[in-house]
Amino acid sequence: PAGTPREYDHSYRRAAWFEHWAAEHRVVRDDVGLFDLSSFGKIRVQGRDAVHLLQELSTADVDVAPDRAVYTQWCNERGGIEADVTVTRVADDDFLVLTAAATLGREMDRLRKHIGDRFVTVTDVSAGLAMLSVMGPRSRELLQPLTDVDLGSDAFPFAASREIDLGYAQVRASRITYVGELGWELYIPSEFATDVFNRLSQ
């Protein structure tokens, strides 16, 4: 809040920032919160053999219908986890992989090393897509007036991922959440990110 010192105090006891963190937690648990996660890495995996490459790397089945998101891990030959990612099937031969900013280079390298003679291209599209997450039990109430797409549970179930209109942008919205409440991740062309952010935060 305004007037609060910005120092980070390291402590084994409750830190000075705890009450501010708790307030944010309660808002997302009981109402709705907006997170800017644009720093996440975004990788496009495309081509005739894209699904085969991703199936080989992923512990979950990513050979799903288009417009579905799958949370999965990539493991090494010993079964150790190498990556923790979300794989969204955009089309039969087109996937969007979301990963942490700190591990983007490693994930790109892993994909390229496993291509072999497959017909696949791997592209870092992180700079072209902003990512805003709308999370909390009232997230649908915030988003629904901003789009013509039905966001109801029957029309837009968990793990669905669709292109929706939002302000001046066509946004890929994925109904997926890691906060234990209703929520969407919005992948926004970077040039429209400010407009979408302003509409969500009004």
Side-chain angles (χ1 to χ4, degrees):
T4 303
R6 293 180 178 266
E7 291 80 28
Y8 189 93
D9 61 322
H10 297 277
S11 174
Y12 286 107
R13 300 182 183 277
R14 186 170 288 191
W17 48 260
F18 182 88
E19 291 304 326
H20 311 306
W21 169 85
E24 289 184 356
H25 173 89
R26 283 190 290 270
V27 166
V28 175
R29 185 185 64 193
D30 300 330
D31 199 335
V32 60
L34 176 62
F35 301 87
D36 181 358
L37 299 176
S38 298
S39 64
F40 270 52
K42 300 127 192 144
I43 306 168
R44 213 67 185 253
V45 183
Q46 297 169 295
R48 182 186 63 219
D49 299 324
V51 67
H52 304 299
L53 172 62
L54 290 167
Q55 281 286 80
E56 181 180 293
L57 292 174
S58 302
T59 57
D61 183 5
V62 299
D63 191 3
V64 294
D67 293 334
R68 297 290 294 173
V70 178
Y71 171 61
T72 188
Q73 282 78 45
W74 293 348
C75 291
N76 57 35
E77 294 74 13
R78 299 178 305 281
I81 294 173
E82 292 288 339
D84 187 68
V85 298
T86 302
V87 177
T88 301
R89 193 168 200 169
V90 177
D92 286 341
D93 59 354
D94 189 357
F95 294 80
L96 178 66
V97 177
L98 183 77
T99 189
T103 59
L104 172 63
R106 189 174 68 183
E107 268 73 281
M108 291 285 292
D109 185 61
R110 177 163 286 275
L111 284 162
R112 288 175 175 148
K113 284 181 176 175
H114 282 80
I115 288 175
D117 59 358
R118 294 183 178 96
F119 190 81
V120 180
T121 61
V122 175
T123 311
D124 177 5
V125 296
S126 303
L129 290 173
M131 179 181 159
L132 299 175
S133 288
V134 180
M135 300 284 162
R138 297 186 64 193
S139 54
R140 185 181 285 117
E141 290 178 46
L142 175 63
L143 283 171
Q144 189 61 83
L146 302 175
T147 182
D148 293 330
V149 175
D150 184 356
L151 301 179
S153 289
D154 292 336
F156 210 123
F158 182 77
S161 178
R162 306 215 175 101
E163 292 280 339
I164 68 170
D165 61 294
L166 208 166
Y168 295 117
Q170 283 294 112
V171 171
R172 174 157 290 277
S174 294
R175 190 177 152 199
I176 197 162
T177 174
Y178 298 104
V179 302
E181 300 292 345
L182 181 68
W184 277 265
E185 291 179 350
L186 306 175
Y187 305 98
I188 308 155
S190 293
E191 62 269 29
F192 296 109
T194 300
D195 174 66
V196 172
F197 176 84
N198 289 338
R199 291 171 189 271
L200 291 169
S201 55
Q202 286 179 351

